Amino acid sequence: MARTTRSKASASATAKSDSKSTTTSDSKSKYTLQAESLNPPKLFILPTEATRDARIVSLLNPRYGKPTRYLVCPETGIYEFTRIAAPKSTPRSWLIECGNTGRVEEKIDGDGAELGSYITKGADLFVATPVDPVFLVLPAFADQSASIKDGKRMFISSDDYLDSIRDTSPHLSEILRWGNVRTLLESRMAAICDTVEAGDETMFRFSEDKLLTEILRKAQKMSEQPLPKSMEDRFVTKTLEAPVVGVKRESTTILPVSQTQAQVQSETSAPNSEASTPKIESADSQSSVSSTETATSLVSEASTAATSVVAEESTNTAEVIPTLQASPEVVKLQRLRTALTFICSCYISPAQAKLLQTKLKEAKPPPVDFTPLDSYLEEIRKLRQEAAAARGMEDYSRKRVLDDDEVAERNEKKRRKEEEDKRKKAGESRGVRDLKKVNTAGMKKMSDFFKKK
């Protein structure tokens, strides 16, 4: 019996293994995916004015002091890449296909480049937009020790300035060999430097006043029209918005026309019934007929009057009464300050930006007078403090309305927590998951068995 049982068990095990192998072989995909590329392709949108001599190079970022990719064209200038990406909460991807690979311009068989179909992990889009070369030469003026002698700044050549950033800017030496690029950089250096001619060569001396004038000119040009919607709403409209102290409402409650006519008809129903009753005396009958006609005319006049009243009084208005309203001058100054802050936070190093802010405040007379804007913002700050102090205790039980940034941050934290929970569950074994379901109520902890008695 034991041998028979073993033979049956071995036969059943063999059958199970065969079925598993068959299932595994059937579940295999017909297509095999290639391994993920370490250097995946990216999608760029380049300007149509750029020539074939344009190249993507690495230059020093003026804000962060790190090498960054730029598009340099000898004819049209320098472009920066703006990254446009989908929100992390809604991941997307690009399907990139290059059909006629043999017709792609300037494709070399020996370069090892394969042009085919790709699926990118992220739907990032890099758009090339023009950038002023004056920002790219600003890191060369960060260290002024070489140009200072006896406490005075000296005039030095453009090569002396650019040599200070050649080591940190990988492709700067390469693009300087292009004649048009060198001319473009030197012409923009003259906008922020004092210049003097020394024979056939132009000498430069950095000037913070000229840099401040150039940045203010760019900010004023940017603020001449409304900023992009997201910047306008967040940094201009919400910043200048004053708290609301009250809402004025006007509303009236009026009965419908059908109800008004019904009431009038019910009041005149009695005379009408009397008019329909026959009378014996002729005099009485004549008087009753005249009264009936009078009542009918009263009913028609009453219904017409009711209809006209309903048409005139059916209004409902609501008017918000703000405590303070920003003038056009204040709005323009706020746009100018927002544009100035944006330029300094994107294209100027923190040390140079702080120096420019100090010079802007200490300049006499100031190039831009922000006094009306500062006074308005101070009044708004006081009004908000008064509104917060006057708020009743019952308001604290209400839910606070979150703005877009807070909602996005909360959703991002929730998404990260869900991903972390999924990652932890994926690493757990089945036994650990089963143990979590065990009811441990009333059980002692393991530490209770190791306590001193």
Side-chain angles (χ1 to χ4, degrees):
M1 296 296 293
R3 290 181 180 177
T4 306
T5 304
R6 285 197 194 99
S7 62
K8 288 182 179 180
S10 60
S12 61
T14 305
K16 288 182 179 180
S17 62
D18 294 341
S19 63
K20 288 182 179 180
S21 62
T22 305
T23 306
T24 305
S25 61
D26 294 340
S27 62
K28 287 184 178 179
S29 176
K30 297 180 181 179
Y31 305 97
T32 57
L33 298 178
Q34 297 180 358
E36 185 177 354
S37 175
L38 299 178
N39 188 17
K42 295 180 175 59
L43 195 60
F44 294 86
I45 295 182
L46 304 180
T48 56
E49 296 84 3
T51 61
R52 295 184 179 180
D53 297 331
R55 296 292 183 268
I56 296 178
V57 298
S58 295
L59 300 176
L60 194 63
N61 188 291
R63 173 66 180 178
Y64 305 103
K66 296 180 180 179
T68 309
R69 299 289 186 181
Y70 293 91
L71 176 67
V72 180
C73 178
E75 301 296 334
T76 59
I78 304 177
Y79 302 84
E80 64 177 345
F81 289 107
T82 303
R83 177 174 171 266
I84 301 175
K88 294 182 179 180
S89 57
T90 56
R92 291 183 173 89
S93 60
W94 285 110
L95 175 60
I96 305 174
E97 181 182 5
C98 186
N100 298 329
T101 56
R103 298 183 181 179
V104 177
E105 296 181 359
E106 300 182 1
K107 179 181 181 298
I108 302 174
D109 297 335
D111 59 359
E114 295 182 0
L115 301 176
S117 299
Y118 300 94
I119 297 179
T120 60
K121 182 180 291 186
D124 296 343
L125 188 64
F126 297 89
V127 182
T129 55
V131 61
D132 193 347
V134 72
F135 296 120
L136 300 179
V137 298
L138 278 180
F141 303 104
D143 187 10
Q144 295 293 321
S145 59
S147 61
I148 296 178
K149 185 177 181 180
D150 298 334
K152 296 182 180 180
R153 286 183 181 173
M154 308 298 293
F155 287 92
I156 60 177
S157 63
S158 60
D159 290 335
D160 294 334
Y161 281 114
L162 297 176
D163 285 342
S164 61
I165 58 173
R166 286 180 189 270
D167 297 335
T168 54
S169 190
H171 298 145
L172 179 62
S173 301
E174 180 66 24
I175 66 173
L176 286 177
R177 297 175 186 173
W178 306 344
N180 294 338
V181 175
R182 174 181 284 273
T183 305
L184 177 63
L185 292 178
E186 290 181 352
S187 64
R188 296 308 298 153
M189 287 174 62
I192 59 174
C193 295
D194 298 327
T195 60
V196 64
E197 297 294 334
D200 297 336
E201 189 176 7
T202 304
M203 311 297 285
F204 300 89
R205 183 177 64 184
F206 180 63
S207 174
E208 289 88 354
D209 296 333
K210 284 193 172 183
L211 176 60
L212 179 59
T213 303
E214 185 70 17
I215 299 301
L216 283 176
R217 185 184 64 82
K218 292 181 178 294
Q220 289 173 353
K221 186 177 180 180
M222 182 178 175
S223 61
E224 287 178 356
Q225 54 187 355
L227 301 175
K229 183 173 177 55
S230 57
M231 294 180 63
E232 184 78 14
D233 293 342
R234 181 176 180 181
F235 299 106
V236 179
T237 305
K238 288 186 178 181
T239 304
L240 301 178
E241 185 178 6
V244 179
V245 294
V247 178
K248 182 181 178 181
R249 296 182 180 273
E250 297 179 1
S251 59
T252 55
T253 305
I254 303 174
L255 293 175
V257 178
S258 58
Q259 295 182 5
T260 308
Q261 291 179 354
Q263 291 179 358
V264 176
Q265 289 177 1
S266 62
E267 293 175 357
T268 57
S269 59
N272 289 335
S273 61
E274 292 178 358
S276 60
T277 305
K279 297 293 182 180
I280 300 175
E281 294 83 5
S282 61
D284 295 338
S285 62
Q286 291 176 1
S287 62
S288 63
V289 170
S290 62
S291 63
T292 302
E293 293 175 355
T294 305
T296 306
S297 62
L298 289 174
V299 170
S300 61
E301 292 176 359
S303 61
T304 305
T307 304
S308 62
V309 168
V310 171
E312 292 176 358
E313 295 185 2
S314 59
T315 58
N316 187 0
T317 60
E319 180 183 357
V320 179
I321 306 175
T323 55
L324 203 61
Q325 186 69 27
S327 62
E329 181 185 4
V330 172
V331 175
K332 186 177 180 179
L333 289 175
Q334 179 62 22
R335 285 177 183 163
L336 178 59
R337 176 174 288 180
T338 303
L340 182 62
T341 305
F342 173 77
I343 294 174
C344 292
S345 61
C346 292
Y347 300 103
I348 302 178
S349 63
Q352 291 178 335
K354 186 177 180 181
L355 180 62
L356 291 178
Q357 294 290 346
T358 304
K359 291 188 72 64
L360 181 61
K361 292 179 181 179
E362 296 178 353
K364 293 182 180 180
V368 180
D369 187 12
F370 289 102
T371 304
L373 176 61
D374 295 334
S375 303
Y376 179 82
L377 294 178
E378 182 65 22
E379 292 181 5
I380 286 183
R381 187 184 64 82
K382 292 180 180 179
L383 289 174
R384 288 175 179 172
Q385 289 180 353
E386 293 175 359
R391 186 190 306 170
M393 294 298 296
E394 64 276 2
D395 291 343
Y396 291 100
S397 61
R398 301 177 184 176
K399 290 185 177 180
R400 184 172 65 89
V401 180
L402 303 178
D403 56 7
D404 297 339
D405 295 337
E406 292 177 339
V407 171
E409 185 178 359
R410 176 174 293 185
N411 294 336
E412 180 66 17
K413 289 182 179 179
K414 184 178 180 181
R415 186 185 64 81
R416 290 179 181 176
K417 186 177 181 181
E418 291 177 354
E419 290 181 355
E420 187 177 356
D421 294 341
K422 288 181 180 179
R423 196 180 302 110
K424 289 181 179 180
K425 290 180 180 180
E428 292 179 353
S429 61
R430 181 179 178 182
V432 174
R433 290 196 298 268
D434 294 341
L435 285 175
K436 287 184 177 180
K437 299 178 182 179
V438 176
N439 185 12
T440 59
M443 294 185 182
K444 290 185 177 181
K445 297 181 179 180
M446 291 296 296
S447 59
D448 294 340
F449 295 96
F450 298 96
K451 291 182 179 179
K452 292 182 179 181
K453 295 182 180 180

